[in-house]
Amino acid sequence: MSDTSTQPLSAIGGEFINPEREASFQSERLPEKFRHLRLLFLLSAFLNTLFLVSDWRFEGTSHFYIAVPARLVVIAIALGCYFATQRVAGFRYAERVMLTWEWINALAVGFLVSSHSDLALFVVIMLPSIYYLVVPTSFRWSVASGVGCSLIMLVGYMSPEDLRSNLIGLILAMVMLNVALILVVARSNRLRRLEWLALLAERRAKEQLAESRTMFETLFRTVPLPLVVVKVDGSIVNFNNAAVAFFGASREVLGIQSILEIYANPEDRDAYLEVLRREGRTSDFETTMRVADGSIRNVLLAGTRLELGGSSYIISALVDITERKAAEERVWRAASHDPLTDLPNRALFQSRFEQALAEAEHKGHAVSLLLIDLDDFKSINDALGHDAGDTFLQEMARRLRGLVRIGDTVARLGGDEFVVILESQTTHENTVSFVKQVIDELQRPFVYKGENISGRASIGIAIYPDHDTKPSDLLKDADLALYSAKAQGRNRAVVYAPEMRDRMERRDTLAREIQEAVAQNQIVPYYQPKVNLITGETIGFEALARWVHPTQGLMTPTLFATAFEDAELSILVGEHMIRRVAEDIRNWHAKGVACGRVAVNLSTAQFNWVGLAKRFLEIIRRAGVEPRHLEIEITETVFLGRSSLHVATVLQQFHDSGVRIALDDFGTGYASLIHLKQFPVDDIKIDQSFIKDVEHNTESAAIVNAVLDLGRSLEMEVIAEGVETEGQARFLRDRGCIYVQGNLYAHPMPASEVGAFLARDKRRIA
Ligand code: C2E
Ligand code: CA
Ligand code: CA
């Protein structure tokens, strides 16, 4: 029945089968045992001393001489063992002391009980019982000592008498006593050991519990992740070391009771609780928290709800994602913002614009889109350098940002193009007044290294939902309006109108046709002579563009003005004209035709290109024509527009090469006389509108007179153009005007007729 693996106790003695375990059981109880033994020894010494006195009643009998020495031995061995147990050594030692006492004591008492007194019988029964029950020897020795003691007692008690009739009874009684005591000892051994085992198990469990609690607490305290334990009401239960480091101070120093004081937005805490209530746990709740130095950190919370002892707790791990957020923000900014001005770039503008329109549709309000193009930017860049250009753009961006309200967007689309999404001003009137502010604000002079730069801007406006509803359509509308603003002379704002689309389409078609015409050589110069009024001689020609159209015949520039106004076309057509003129001059020279100086018109749009003079001169040089055979005609608008900053450079290059410079249409523009001094102008051409009524209109006559005087005093030659009648010619001659041009002398003619013209009219040039 018994199994040693589950039942480690011996079946008979109730002791541990494993000697080591038995030894450890015994040694653990040793100090207590020694205490009991010492008490036993003292008691034995004391009682026997008392009995020694009573032994005097045997004085005179033979037993007296047995009793007293035996009693003294009992007392002596008790005292000896008492002192021997003062020193606590191992169980074996203790057992040896006990056995010594037991056996010597038993022998001495054996003599004493031979007195056969009533007390003696009591002792015969009691002493083996004490050996079994009180003296803690091993089971073997308990049995040996118990049985031995019983025998000695029997022998002692019976010795003085002959065998008596009650001997058998006493022996039986002693056997019964021994058997009973052995059973009791075995049983108590077993019980005590089982109790000890249970105690050990309990102690181990307690130790393990304490150990795991210490481990958990150490872990909680030292884990490098900030952990916070709070109750549902927000009161803080525990912070770990990492949390103290994260918050910059302990809870006590921070002086906070509730976690609510840590949240930068306390309503986040409600949202967090809600997530935990719904899902029990979360690992990615983002919020912001305030730390000891007052700064706000971005935090990722991973939390769990715990039910412990009837209350709810929330344990949260905090991950500081401030740096990560900042890095994300930097990446996002780099991808969505223009590095120069820090304004949103085209990509961000597009998504904001879509958002704005979606919201406007939802709420039913208007959104205005302003496309802003800085008029002078290219020339600032060309004339003052890229640093100036950059600074200028930054300044314009700053000013625009200063004008808009929260909710509006200013973005840079690239180059000198900005855009404003106006969501805060929803009426037309507000938009108009805002646009006025923009124009005024940009125009405010900006000083860069002593240079006064003015930021004129052309603005195209499209309004949702009046003009269109789709972002791409609105952008196109604003672009058309911007084009129109530029065409109307720049530095103004134009609101989109549906006709602009048609006009734009027509213009696009025309532009394509013009390109085609250039490629097909359909655009050719016609030449109109410039004449000396006094001698009647032709001194040179003005080259005028004509489009020899396959179906519509000969077209004058009024029908294809775009060719000279558009930035790209004007370069293309301009180069084509110069090339053709240079070829014609070379051909005339080759044939011996002296054509004089030939003037070529340069439009203001062509001056956008800083390389204009170099290219022009290169073309004529390649054609083998010297610059002194050429003149350029420019109008006053070149001094005003966005190219004005590098106009001086280009004109100087022409002048230095020997090309003459004539100021065309003089009197119609806005140029001040300062321009005449500032720039290397050689000739002035009086506009034909003054010549037309010079005989009848005193104002025109006065202007013509003034210009003639001006020419004389500045030593410039003055040419009157559009002379159609003899009367006009006479008037001019009388006023001392020498050079004229007009239909009175000749209409513009193709190059092929120039030789014949010069020969026929004998107006040879000297
Ligand atoms: P513009 O430079 O003032 O040219 C003089 C214009 O007056 C020419 O018109 C010419 O045909 C016209 N004209 C000459 N004599 C008379 C006259 O007695 N009576 C009247 N009513 N008109 C006369 P066109 O050729 O139609 O040129 C118009 C404008 O087109 C020119 O004005 C010039 O600004 C521009 N243009 C012409 N060719 C070119 C060119 O090759 N390049 C550039 N950039 N502009 C050009
Ligand atoms: Ca001209
Ligand atoms: Ca003219």
Side-chain angles (χ1 to χ4, degrees):
M1 291 283 279
S2 64
D3 175 357
T4 46
S5 64
T6 54
Q7 182 73 282
L9 302 175
S10 85
I12 303 164
E15 290 183 319
F16 287 112
I17 292 166
N18 182 337
E20 279 162 31
R21 168 155 281 194
E22 178 64 23
S24 78
F25 168 76
Q26 293 289 3
S27 65
E28 193 168 300
R29 302 158 53 87
L30 212 54
E32 191 195 0
K33 241 179 247 169
F34 270 55
R35 261 198 320 280
H36 291 173
L37 280 176
R38 278 201 293 272
L39 198 66
L40 183 69
F41 297 148
L42 272 185
L43 205 64
S44 167
F46 176 67
L47 285 176
N48 283 288
T49 309
L50 286 184
F51 291 143
L52 187 62
V53 178
S54 84
D55 282 341
W56 250 262
R57 63 193 153 102
F58 300 115
E59 198 175 358
T61 69
S62 64
H63 186 68
F64 182 77
Y65 297 100
I66 296 170
V68 169
R71 190 70 75 190
L72 288 173
V73 168
V74 168
I75 294 168
I77 191 69
L79 287 175
C81 286
Y82 175 80
F83 289 112
T85 51
Q86 287 299 330
R87 139 169 188 266
V88 179
F91 175 68
R92 296 263 154 257
Y93 169 79
E95 198 172 46
R96 269 197 295 276
V97 173
M98 288 182 283
L99 289 174
T100 310
W101 175 76
E102 277 180 336
W103 287 93
I104 294 174
N105 190 60
L107 284 172
V109 174
F111 283 103
L112 284 170
V113 293
S114 63
S115 72
H116 219 257
S117 62
D118 289 350
L119 189 70
L121 185 59
F122 171 70
V123 168
V124 166
I125 304 222
M126 196 195 65
L127 196 63
S129 306
I130 288 177
Y131 280 19
Y132 274 114
L133 299 179
V134 182
V135 185
T137 50
S138 64
F139 182 71
R140 267 179 305 142
W141 281 112
S142 288
V143 174
S145 304
V147 172
C149 178
S150 299
L151 287 175
I152 292 170
M153 288 306 110
L154 264 182
V155 171
Y157 189 69
M158 293 299 171
S159 59
E161 309 280 332
D162 298 327
L163 285 176
R164 309 255 317 239
S165 57
N166 59 353
L167 175 67
I168 298 292
L170 195 62
I171 289 175
L172 273 178
M174 288 306 275
V175 169
M176 297 274 283
L177 178 74
N178 274 275
V179 169
L181 287 173
I182 287 170
L183 287 177
V184 167
V185 168
R187 189 179 152 74
S188 121
N189 272 352
R190 177 171 288 113
L191 283 177
R192 282 218 307 269
R193 278 161 184 77
L194 287 176
E195 184 190 61
W196 183 72
L197 280 179
L199 208 79
L200 274 189
E202 188 191 314
R203 200 187 300 158
R204 197 166 318 120
K206 267 189 186 151
E207 274 168 14
Q208 275 171 354
L209 193 69
E211 232 167 62
S212 71
R213 167 176 268 146
T214 321
M215 184 145 105
F216 169 75
E217 268 166 15
T218 316
L219 206 73
F220 176 81
R221 239 189 7 263
T222 58
V223 70
L225 189 68
L227 294 175
V228 175
V229 183
V230 298
K231 288 195 180 152
V232 175
D233 66 7
S235 54
I236 297 167
V237 179
N238 215 342
F239 261 34
N240 73 349
N241 296 353
V244 171
F246 171 77
F247 287 111
S250 71
R251 185 151 49 107
E252 293 72 28
V253 172
L254 288 173
I256 47 170
Q257 305 301 324
S258 168
I259 195 77
L260 284 168
E261 298 170 57
I262 290 174
Y263 279 86
N265 302 312
E267 58 272 21
D268 279 6
R269 153 100 174 148
D270 297 336
Y272 182 51
L273 281 184
E274 177 55 28
V275 171
L276 287 179
R277 198 186 55 72
R278 226 178 28 239
E279 287 160 28
R281 55 166 55 239
T282 178
S283 59
D284 56 358
F285 187 88
E286 267 192 53
T287 183
T288 44
M289 289 187 164
R290 192 171 287 116
V291 300
D293 65 6
S295 66
I296 305 276
R297 314 290 297 174
N298 291 92
V299 173
L300 193 71
L301 289 179
T304 312
R305 231 183 125 123
L306 286 181
E307 303 297 328
L308 275 183
S311 9
S312 284
Y313 295 89
I314 289 160
I315 173 158
S316 308
L318 283 64
V319 181
D320 188 349
I321 52 167
T322 312
E323 306 302 324
R324 195 178 85 194
K325 278 238 144 221
E328 278 172 9
E329 162 84 15
R330 277 196 295 278
V331 169
W332 177 78
R333 273 205 94 76
S336 61
H337 283 72
D338 161 46
L340 180 68
T341 59
D342 203 34
L343 288 178
N345 62 13
R346 184 180 283 272
L348 184 57
F349 154 72
Q350 256 152 4
S351 77
R352 290 247 180 108
F353 191 38
E354 281 166 22
Q355 260 172 32
L357 293 189
E359 203 179 299
E361 189 188 356
H362 181 64
K363 294 188 180 161
H365 65 69
V367 174
S368 304
L369 182 71
L370 275 65
L371 213 54
I372 302 171
D373 192 287
L374 300 177
D375 292 338
D376 303 310
F377 180 64
K378 204 177 170 312
S379 51
I380 293 171
N381 241 354
D382 291 341
L384 300 176
H386 283 273
D387 284 349
D390 287 354
T391 316
F392 176 72
L393 285 176
Q394 283 168 337
E395 173 65 14
M396 294 302 118
R398 203 183 58 75
R399 291 185 188 180
L400 283 173
R401 209 171 2 212
L403 286 173
V404 297
R405 299 193 193 159
I406 293 170
D408 298 336
T409 299
V410 182
R412 182 179 172 213
L413 297 185
D416 56 356
E417 225 177 43
F418 294 86
V419 68
V420 175
I421 307 169
L422 211 58
E423 290 180 78
S424 64
Q425 328 260 334
T426 47
T427 66
H428 276 236
E429 296 74 41
N430 286 345
T431 303
V432 167
S433 80
F434 174 80
V435 170
K436 274 205 191 96
Q437 278 177 36
V438 170
I439 290 180
D440 290 349
E441 180 66 8
L442 297 188
Q443 219 160 20
R444 213 157 39 77
F446 162 61
V447 181
Y448 178 82
K449 293 188 179 161
E451 289 275 349
N452 219 336
I453 308 173
S454 167
R456 279 186 295 259
S458 302
I459 302 177
I461 302 164
I463 297 168
Y464 169 93
D466 304 15
H467 299 145
D468 263 305
T469 51
K470 284 214 306 236
S472 55
D473 289 340
L474 283 161
L475 202 58
K476 198 170 268 167
D477 295 346
D479 204 32
L480 287 169
L482 175 63
Y483 188 92
S484 170
K486 287 182 186 171
Q488 289 177 33
R490 300 175 181 277
N491 196 28
R492 69 195 65 215
V494 171
V495 179
Y496 169 78
E499 310 85 74
M500 287 175 185
R501 272 194 193 237
D502 306 341
R503 229 184 291 153
M504 185 63 161
E505 272 156 25
R506 278 204 302 278
R507 207 160 34 212
D508 282 352
T509 318
L510 183 62
R512 268 197 309 280
E513 285 173 1
I514 289 168
Q515 277 171 336
E516 190 65 21
V518 169
Q520 308 265 318
N521 248 327
Q522 289 171 5
I523 292 178
V524 297
Y526 267 47
Y527 296 95
Q528 187 175 38
K530 293 181 180 179
V531 177
N532 183 320
L533 252 187
I534 317 294
T535 65
E537 275 179 341
T538 297
I539 54 149
F541 292 89
E542 176 180 3
L544 294 157
R546 291 291 178 271
W547 185 347
V548 189
H549 200 279
T551 55
Q552 294 174 38
L554 196 66
M555 282 164 48
T556 58
T558 34
L559 295 171
F560 59 101
T562 319
F564 307 111
E565 286 163 4
D566 181 87
E568 282 166 37
L569 280 180
S570 70
I571 305 257
L572 178 79
V573 179
E575 267 195 41
H576 173 77
M577 281 296 290
I578 291 157
R579 193 169 285 122
R580 291 295 309 253
V581 168
E583 273 169 28
D584 288 341
I585 296 174
R586 189 190 54 207
N587 288 342
W588 290 326
H589 285 178
K591 288 182 192 154
V593 176
C595 56
R597 205 183 266 271
V598 181
V600 178
N601 291 282
L602 292 185
S603 69
T604 303
Q606 281 174 277
F607 276 83
N608 278 335
W609 183 33
V610 77
L612 173 69
K614 270 178 78 180
R615 183 91 184 109
F616 184 110
L617 294 168
E618 188 188 306
I619 290 171
I620 59 169
R621 201 170 302 120
R622 287 229 184 118
V625 174
E626 289 173 39
R628 67 184 169 91
H629 290 118
L630 282 152
E631 177 159 22
I632 54 166
E633 293 188 9
I634 55 172
T635 59
E636 292 155 318
T637 52
V638 298
F639 305 129
L640 305 173
R642 61 207 225 140
S643 42
S644 57
L645 280 163
H646 61 247
V647 161
T649 320
V650 173
L651 290 183
Q652 198 59 47
Q653 286 168 346
F654 276 124
H655 180 81
D656 292 347
S657 73
V659 172
R660 265 180 98 89
I661 298 164
L663 196 56
D664 209 351
D665 302 345
F666 194 76
T668 57
Y670 313 91
S672 71
L673 293 178
I674 289 178
H675 291 134
L676 289 177
K677 284 190 72 184
Q678 240 175 21
F679 298 98
V681 176
D682 304 295
D683 306 330
I684 301 171
K685 293 186 82 175
I686 307 174
D687 190 68
Q688 44 183 294
S689 60
F690 304 115
I691 305 300
K692 197 182 226 82
D693 51 9
V694 76
E695 293 166 282
H696 316 290
N697 185 312
T698 48
E699 244 174 68
S700 292
I703 289 173
V704 171
N705 275 327
V707 176
L708 286 168
D709 285 343
L710 190 71
R712 268 189 290 276
S713 59
L714 292 175
E715 293 180 341
M716 291 177 182
E717 287 185 358
V718 178
I719 304 164
E721 64 177 356
V723 181
E724 292 180 342
T725 63
E726 284 294 348
Q728 291 162 352
R730 203 169 27 251
F731 178 95
L732 290 166
R733 195 182 297 115
D734 293 348
R735 296 299 187 285
C737 177
I738 301 172
Y739 303 107
V740 286
Q741 181 185 343
N743 292 345
L744 177 65
Y745 306 97
H747 285 269
M749 62 193 86
S752 54
E753 291 176 14
V754 168
F757 166 78
L758 289 173
R760 183 175 65 241
D761 286 7
K762 300 211 167 43
R763 297 192 188 281
R764 285 184 193 286
I765 297 158

